[in-house]
Amino acid sequence: MEPSSRLRVVVATPLFPADAAMIVEREPRIELVHVPELLAEPNVDWMTWSKRTPEQQERFEQLVDTADALYGVPDHSGKALARTVAANPKLRWVHTIPAGGGQQVKAANLPAEALERIAFSTSAGVHAAPLAEFAIFGVLAGAKQLPWLQETQRRHEWAPRRPLGRAASSTVAVVGLGSIGRLTADKLAGLGFRVVGVHRRAVEAPGVSEIFPVEDLARVASEVDAIVLALPGTSETEKMLSREVLAAAKPGITIVNVGRGTTVDEPALIDALTDGRVGLAVLDVTYVEPLPAESPLWELPNAIIAPHTAAISTDEPRLIAELFVENARRFLDGEPLINRVNTREFY
C-alpha cells in the first residue's frame, strides 16, 4: 500500500457530528465530506436506512463517486457498493461498519480488478466486548437452569431445591477464535470455566486450555456443557452446528450464538430443543432475520431470542470512528490495515 498525502473520505452512513469532528481533529490529512441531510439520523444502531428524494439520491451518488475512501458502505447495500465501485475508478478503500462487513462486499459481486484495487476493512473488535458479555450471559443462563427457574416462577411454584451448575465443574467450547471468541474465552476462564477452542488453525487464545480442529466439533460437543458460536458467515461455516453435531452433543447442552445465524442448522436445533438434547439456546442471530413469526423458536421455553442486538452499545459509534481514524493513518502512511477483508472468503 503506497503512502498518500491527502485522503478524501465521503461519509456514506450515519455519523454523529462529534465523531465526525474527532476524525478530522485526529487525522488532519483527511478531507471529510459529511453531508448529514443525505443520511439517516445517526443513532446507536448503525442499520438505519436513508430515505432520499431523487434529487438527493443523485447528489449522494455524485459525492461517493468522488471519494478516495468511504466511511461505510452506501446504504449498507451490496448493490449500491457495486454501483459506486463501477462509477468511481479512484476509490481505494472502503471501511465497513459491521464486524461482518465482508458479507456486504461479497454481496456486491465485484470484479477481480476492483477487489485488487480497493482495500476493504471492517469494524471487527469494536463489538467484541458486548458480544462476549452476552455470550457469558447465555452460558450462565444455561448453567443456572434459567428455563426451569422461569417455568416454576410462571407456575407460582416454590419448587423443590435442586443443584445448579457451577463454573468450576463446567467446560465450554468456543467455536471460532477471532476477536469475539478470544475475548469470550478469556472472560469465561476468568469466571472459572474450563474453556476449549474449536478453530481451523492454532492461534494464541488466553484462557483456552486446548484447541481442536473443526473436524472434531461433534466429539467436542459430546464432552462439553456449553458451546459458544462466534463464527463469521461464510460458505465454510454454513450449518457448522449440524444435525450430526447436535445428535452427538452432551444431553442438556447450552448453545449460544453470537456469530452468524447461518452457522446453525436451525431445524435441527429446533428438534434438539424440543426433545431436550439441547437444554437452552441463547441466540442473538438466526438463520433468517428478522426471525419469521411462524418460527417455533419464538414459543420454545428453552430458547432465548435477541433481535441481533447484543453487539450494540452506546460506545459503539465512537469506537468505530476511532478504529477508522487509526486505519486512515495506516492507509495514508502505507501501513497494513486493521481488519482487512479477505476477498476470497469475505471475512
Side-chain angles (χ1 to χ4, degrees):
M1 191 176 295
E2 293 296 322
S4 303
S5 58
R6 295 287 296 172
L7 188 66
R8 179 177 169 87
V9 176
V10 175
V11 177
T13 195
L15 180 65
F16 284 103
D19 294 329
M22 180 273 294
I23 288 172
V24 294
E25 179 182 353
R26 293 196 183 182
E27 183 45 81
R29 292 175 292 177
I30 288 178
E31 176 193 353
L32 191 72
V33 182
H34 180 213
V35 186
E37 62 264 31
L38 298 180
L39 305 168
E41 192 72 23
N43 59 52
V44 294
D45 180 6
W46 55 267
M47 283 293 291
T48 50
W49 308 102
S50 305
K51 296 180 180 179
R52 307 184 188 94
T53 66
E55 293 76 18
Q56 288 175 323
Q57 183 64 30
E58 181 180 2
R59 185 182 173 204
F60 177 74
E61 292 179 359
Q62 288 172 346
L63 285 176
V64 296
D65 292 351
T66 67
D68 301 314
L70 292 177
Y71 185 90
V73 168
D75 297 327
H76 311 294
S77 162
K79 182 178 179 181
L81 177 61
R83 188 217 63 80
T84 304
V85 167
N88 183 1
K90 63 180 286 191
L91 186 64
R92 291 293 181 270
W93 171 37
V94 177
H95 182 78
T96 72
I97 304 304
Q103 294 305 297
Q104 293 180 336
V105 181
K106 182 179 181 180
N109 195 27
L110 300 173
E113 174 277 326
L115 295 175
E116 179 69 24
R117 165 170 59 97
I118 303 167
F120 298 92
S121 59
T122 77
S123 296
V126 165
H127 314 85
L131 285 172
E133 291 170 3
F134 188 86
I136 292 164
F137 155 73
V139 171
L140 286 172
K144 302 306 179 183
Q145 300 182 39
L146 180 61
W148 174 71
L149 294 173
Q150 290 178 317
E151 179 187 357
T152 57
Q153 180 177 342
R154 280 193 293 267
R155 293 201 304 254
H156 296 200
E157 177 186 344
W158 190 263
R161 296 197 300 168
R162 63 163 68 173
L164 303 181
R166 292 186 63 233
S169 57
S170 301
T171 300
V172 182
V174 177
V175 185
L177 293 173
S179 58
I180 297 164
R182 291 196 304 273
L183 184 59
T184 299
D186 192 32
K187 288 181 177 292
L188 285 168
L191 290 172
F193 289 93
R194 177 175 178 264
V195 182
V196 298
V198 176
H199 202 65
R200 62 180 183 172
R201 63 182 183 278
V203 294
E204 280 293 320
V208 176
S209 61
E210 192 172 1
I211 297 177
F212 297 92
V214 170
E215 294 73 25
D216 287 354
L217 180 56
R219 180 171 68 82
V220 171
S222 71
E223 299 173 356
V224 301
D225 301 285
I227 291 175
V228 174
L229 299 167
L231 293 162
T234 70
S235 58
E236 293 186 357
T237 64
E238 176 86 9
K239 297 184 180 179
M240 185 178 289
L241 192 75
S242 63
R243 187 171 293 275
E244 292 71 25
V245 170
L246 289 166
K250 185 176 182 179
I253 195 170
T254 297
I255 303 294
V256 182
N257 194 357
V258 291
R260 286 293 179 266
T262 55
T263 63
V264 174
D265 183 336
E266 208 163 89
L269 176 61
I270 290 168
D271 289 344
L273 285 164
T274 302
D275 66 21
R277 169 67 59 174
V278 173
L280 176 65
V282 180
L283 309 174
D284 181 48
V285 289
T286 55
Y287 198 90
V288 175
E289 295 183 7
L291 181 65
E294 63 273 16
S295 171
L297 286 171
W298 289 116
E299 300 296 334
L300 286 169
N302 52 347
I304 296 174
I305 308 298
H308 205 149
T309 196
I312 298 174
S313 72
T314 54
D315 297 327
E316 182 183 25
R318 172 182 56 80
L319 293 172
I320 292 173
E322 289 176 348
L323 172 59
F324 174 80
V325 170
E326 171 57 21
N327 258 347
R329 182 199 66 76
R330 288 168 175 253
F331 186 92
L332 285 159
D333 292 342
E335 299 177 9
L337 297 177
I338 301 169
N339 299 335
R340 183 158 181 173
V341 171
N342 176 325
T343 54
R344 183 173 62 87
E345 298 181 13
F346 295 97
Y347 73 91

